[in-house]
Amino acid sequence: MDSTRVTEHPTSFDRPSTGADPTDPRGALLRTPVPPRASGSALPAQGSAGQTPPAAGEDSPGAFEHSQPGAEQAAEPDTHRPRPTSEGVPAQPDGGQPGGAPPGDTPSAGLIPGEVSAGAGQAGLVRPDSGAPAGAPDPGRRDAPPEPDRRTGQPTTPGRPTPMRRDGDRLRFVGAATRRIARGMDLDEIVMGLCRATVPTFADAILVYLREPLPVGDERPTGPLVLRLRRTDRIPAERDTEGGFTPAPQPEPSELETVGAELCEVRPGSALAEVLRGVRPVFTDTPAARAALPELLGEERDFALPDGRRAILAPLRGRRRVIGAALFLRGPERIAFEADDLLVAAQLATHSALGIDKAVLYGREAYIADELQRTMLPENLPRCTGVRLASRYLPAAETARVGGDWYDAIPLPGSRVALVVGDVMGHSMTSAAIMGQLRTTAQTLAGLDLPPQEVLHHLDEQAQRLGTDRMATCLYAVYDPVAHRITVANAGHPPPVLLHLGGHAEVLRVPAGAPIGVGGVDFEAVELDAPAGATLLLYTDGLVESRLRDVWTGIEQLRERLAATAQLTGPDHPPPLEALCDEVLDMLGPGDRDDDIALLAARFDGIAPSDVSYWFLDPEDAAPGKARRLARRALARWGMEDLTDAVELLVSEVVTNAVRYASKPVTLRLLRTDVLRCEVGDDVPQLPRLRQARATDEGGRGLYLVNRLARRWGATRLSTGKVVWFELNRG
């Protein structure tokens, strides 16, 4: 045998023949070339023990469908193999079993379905036409007249596709089909791969039913077994012939979901339940399958199934349970399924079911990763006074949905806001877990109103407690909208970029510092101007560093991109934050997605000095009355007299509580923004708690009034005491 002509899965006695790949969009049937024959009389066809070789001119279904090339094929190479044509699937004559056998005959009588006896394989069965009488036209000769079709008597067209005739054809088909099914990553791709590989090479139509809902892993399904029609596929109408089975009208691809809405509940002990429990594919002409079809397709189904062995019902069994079923259909114009086709259907069903199982598990893992990352990052950024925020997060790739990058915006006392961005080494579940712990620690430290350098110091200690190799970078900034200043501390993170209102972009000069987790390193904070209208951009290194560029080249490209974007809106109008974030991400090229990307943009609006009123009150009994008078004057200056009564009442209650325990002057500040905000600070660290006063109590109702009248209120502990604040809606 010529070893250079061997393709997939050759046997020692079967020379491969040209077949059609089921992934071929033309969908041509496999065709078997007519083997050339040496001059002289043909070798007698020999079968297995107990069988009589067919006489010349007789049809033997078993030999015709499963014949192997004879010894004369090895002596003369087949140099004229027919190739697939673009005719698609031809209409085959209406008839019974292949080779003109009566409809009741079965192929390969005396053989186990799907097997060829050793005697038949070793003797080299030949096609029935090889025993033609002397003088008959040789179908292997190129000048021979066309051989008449055995089922119709009409001349055949050379090179016309014919069904799978030999085990080698089926092996090649199963190999190509399973490769196509295995290429799918999600559920829809696997089901579509099964349909496209099957139609029209193996069947004229296929219906795929899947369990609803599909069980995941070792989950034990609860409730009844329900099958949903996931997908149906068939030969297009222009290639379908008349007289076949009548499928339901094929909708447009966008309307497939309408067809897939059919549900079938499998009742325990029913015929369909028994067929599915049997696991093995069955012909639908068997009594059990014939009784199961109405339950699967519905009593008033739109399918007129053809008679005979023209339909196969194959259960889809995953690793532990049946997860669906596939129905393969052939029309009357095509030869019926054979016993060996049950093995083909079993292979297709097994590979599809295992692929679906893996796709469901992969989908569950992706869902868990998405949920983990979503809960680790802020769901919504807070609305802070004097600053507007926007953010973006991109994972490293679809296969790595979680990572160690994070961002955060934390409101602080005095209308300040803490801006945080960090990056834990790696992009895995472990990195995401460490990131979650560091982010929680940063939120707790921010609530204590610690300076930025102290926050990084405590984060460094926390990282060392988590492990010796827990490394991360972090940048922590605090913006004060009243002072129009920003304080920044850095721990080995790329520096932020500040985009001014006129379009000038600059990289802020902040000390680099050592990464979090190194230990024994001091962090330094710098205070910089934050003019109104400017935009601060915090990011992780995944945005500016990749295999194609170093980090400083990426930072310079980012600065240029920000400046170019600002030029589009003019010198007096800063670019919108959301559009600015999108423009920044558009600078990424095809090879720039090596790491996660976290992006936080802050637009500094600030608070004008004319909208701020600030006083110091001595801790004495007259302080509440003085606070009421000062608040009344400020409201009159701002034209907010309609809030006077509510503000006087609430300010009096909060200041009275502060003066009772304070030993140093009490601070009172009113801020006019989109709301009216009042802040009262003292040197007592204990935070007030809302409680229900009893009828006999003389006090304890001040915070109850604040809670009922104010839009929002809260109390925050400072390093020097605390601040109690409340907000009222402007009229």
Side-chain angles (χ1 to χ4, degrees):
M1 179 173 65
D2 186 0
S3 62
T4 62
R5 304 176 66 88
V6 176
T7 57
E8 296 185 300
H9 310 293
T11 59
S12 58
F13 52 83
D14 182 16
R15 188 176 66 181
S17 62
T18 304
D21 192 330
T23 62
D24 187 350
R26 297 170 299 181
L29 292 176
L30 299 178
R31 62 185 69 78
T32 303
V34 179
R37 189 173 47 177
S39 59
S41 59
L43 293 176
Q46 299 181 3
S48 58
Q51 289 182 324
T52 304
E58 292 182 358
D59 294 331
S60 174
F64 183 73
E65 295 295 333
H66 304 287
S67 60
Q68 307 295 336
E72 71 279 8
Q73 292 177 322
E76 180 179 350
D78 181 10
T79 60
H80 300 286
R81 292 190 174 188
R83 299 183 178 275
T85 64
S86 59
E87 298 175 357
V89 181
Q92 299 192 12
D94 187 8
Q97 298 297 321
D105 293 349
T106 59
S108 303
L111 299 179
I112 300 175
E115 298 183 0
V116 179
S117 65
Q122 296 172 359
L125 295 178
V126 298
R127 296 170 61 94
D129 54 11
S130 63
D138 187 354
R141 292 177 52 190
R142 304 175 66 180
D143 56 350
E147 181 183 7
D149 190 280
R150 297 183 178 277
R151 294 178 294 276
T152 63
Q154 302 295 328
T156 59
T157 304
R160 179 180 179 179
T162 58
M164 291 180 286
R165 300 291 187 179
R166 297 179 297 182
D167 293 341
D169 294 335
R170 292 186 172 89
L171 287 175
R172 278 183 288 276
F173 165 72
V174 170
T178 53
R179 283 195 302 271
R180 177 159 192 167
I181 296 171
R183 284 200 297 264
M185 288 293 295
D186 57 21
L187 181 61
D188 292 333
E189 290 179 353
I190 293 175
V191 174
M192 180 171 288
L194 171 64
C195 295
R196 296 292 173 83
T198 302
V199 178
T201 309
F202 180 70
D204 294 337
I206 181 175
L207 286 81
V208 181
Y209 290 84
L210 294 182
R211 194 164 188 159
E212 180 72 19
L214 281 168
V216 181
D218 297 331
E219 291 183 356
R220 299 187 63 85
T222 59
L225 172 59
V226 177
L227 299 181
R228 177 184 292 274
L229 180 60
R230 184 76 185 193
R231 184 176 177 86
T232 177
D233 206 357
R234 63 182 295 272
I235 299 178
E238 60 270 14
R239 294 168 55 187
D240 199 10
T241 57
E242 299 180 359
F245 64 92
T246 306
Q250 181 72 8
E252 295 296 329
S254 59
E255 300 176 5
L256 278 177
E257 298 177 358
T258 304
V259 179
E262 286 190 38
L263 293 177
C264 164
E265 181 176 347
V266 182
R267 298 182 298 274
S270 63
L272 180 58
E274 295 299 326
V275 172
L276 296 179
R277 187 180 296 113
V279 175
R280 298 181 179 276
V282 295
F283 291 118
T284 56
D285 62 347
T286 60
R290 179 61 64 177
L293 284 180
E295 184 179 354
L296 179 64
L297 302 177
E299 296 293 341
E300 298 179 357
R301 60 189 181 274
D302 295 328
F303 288 83
L305 294 179
D307 297 330
R309 293 187 172 182
R310 302 187 180 277
I312 295 178
L313 180 59
L316 301 177
R317 181 177 178 83
R319 294 186 303 166
R320 290 177 175 83
R321 60 184 66 86
V322 173
I323 61 174
L327 183 63
F328 304 93
L329 301 171
R330 282 186 182 178
E333 73 282 357
R334 188 169 179 177
I335 62 173
F337 287 112
E338 305 169 3
D340 289 344
D341 291 327
L342 291 177
L343 300 178
V344 175
Q347 288 289 330
L348 297 176
T350 299
H351 283 273
S352 300
L354 294 178
I356 291 172
D357 250 359
K358 294 178 181 178
V360 172
L361 288 174
Y362 174 78
R364 172 59 63 89
E365 292 180 358
Y367 170 78
I368 294 175
D370 288 340
E371 286 296 305
L372 175 63
Q373 191 68 58
R374 186 184 63 81
T375 54
M376 291 292 185
L377 297 175
E379 184 174 357
N380 295 305
L381 293 174
R383 297 185 59 183
C384 303
T385 303
V387 62
R388 286 174 287 172
L389 304 171
S391 63
R392 294 290 187 274
Y393 175 81
L394 292 179
E398 287 295 325
T399 55
R401 296 171 180 257
V402 295
D405 293 13
W406 91 90
Y407 61 89
D408 214 339
I410 309 168
L412 299 178
S415 299
R416 296 171 300 152
V417 57
L419 307 175
V420 191
V421 65
D423 183 6
V424 178
M425 293 179 57
H427 38 78
S428 62
M429 289 287 188
T430 303
S431 301
I434 298 173
M435 176 267 286
Q437 298 181 65
L438 293 180
R439 178 174 176 247
T440 303
T441 304
Q443 289 180 332
T444 304
L445 296 173
L448 299 176
D449 196 30
L450 297 179
Q453 64 272 22
E454 290 297 325
V455 172
L456 295 183
H457 175 72
H458 288 290
L459 284 176
D460 180 59
E461 293 180 341
Q462 176 66 14
Q464 294 179 65
R465 285 190 290 266
L466 294 177
T468 57
D469 57 344
R470 306 311 189 197
M471 305 287 292
T473 63
C474 182
L475 191 143
Y476 188 93
V478 175
Y479 170 64
D480 189 345
V482 177
H484 296 272
R485 304 283 287 178
I486 184 170
T487 306
V488 184
N490 191 10
H493 202 80
V497 179
L498 183 64
L499 178 63
H500 293 270
L501 183 59
H504 172 64
E506 64 170 329
V507 180
L508 297 183
R509 297 180 178 272
V510 297
I516 291 174
V518 173
V521 179
D522 292 333
F523 299 97
E524 183 180 354
V526 294
E527 188 174 350
L528 305 171
D529 288 331
T535 304
L536 183 69
L537 196 70
L538 307 180
Y539 53 91
T540 56
D541 58 355
L543 179 66
V544 294
E545 185 180 19
S546 68
R547 292 171 295 178
L548 305 179
R549 61 184 179 187
D550 61 89
V551 60
W552 289 108
T553 301
I555 292 176
E556 181 61 23
Q557 293 179 359
L558 173 62
R559 188 194 65 81
E560 295 175 354
R561 188 61 174 259
L562 290 174
T565 304
Q567 296 297 329
L568 299 177
T569 57
D572 300 330
H573 302 281
L577 275 182
E578 298 294 339
L580 183 64
C581 292
D582 294 336
E583 286 292 330
V584 168
L585 294 181
D586 285 343
M587 66 177 285
L588 297 173
D592 294 340
R593 291 289 303 280
D594 300 333
D595 199 359
D596 307 349
I597 297 174
L599 181 66
L600 179 63
R603 173 71 43 77
F604 298 146
D605 294 334
I607 300 177
S610 59
D611 293 329
V612 180
S613 296
Y614 193 85
W615 305 279
F616 287 92
L617 304 174
D618 293 329
E620 56 186 11
D621 295 340
K626 185 178 180 180
R628 290 193 295 268
R629 290 192 301 270
L630 295 174
R632 188 186 313 115
R633 294 173 185 173
L635 294 177
R637 186 172 65 252
W638 291 335
M640 304 172 64
E641 291 85 354
D642 54 335
L643 297 179
T644 301
D645 294 339
V647 171
E648 285 186 357
L649 175 60
L650 298 184
V651 166
S652 178
E653 293 293 338
V654 176
V655 171
T656 299
N657 186 74
V659 169
R660 180 178 301 176
Y661 304 101
S663 59
K664 295 181 180 181
V666 175
T667 61
L668 172 62
R669 184 165 70 169
L670 294 180
L671 302 174
R672 182 183 65 168
T673 57
D674 54 342
V675 297
L676 179 67
R677 182 182 177 98
C678 177
E679 299 175 351
V680 178
D682 58 61
D683 61 340
V684 181
Q686 286 78 17
L687 300 180
R689 292 287 183 266
L690 180 65
R691 64 183 180 90
Q692 187 69 36
R694 293 174 296 181
T696 58
D697 292 342
E698 295 182 359
R701 296 176 177 84
L703 288 182
Y704 179 77
L705 294 175
V706 174
N707 183 64
R708 292 298 301 267
L709 298 179
R711 173 178 175 267
R712 290 194 311 160
W713 78 278
T716 306
R717 183 179 286 110
L718 304 176
S719 57
T720 58
K722 69 174 181 295
V723 169
V724 179
W725 57 269
F726 63 86
E727 293 178 352
L728 294 174
N729 292 322
R730 297 177 59 175

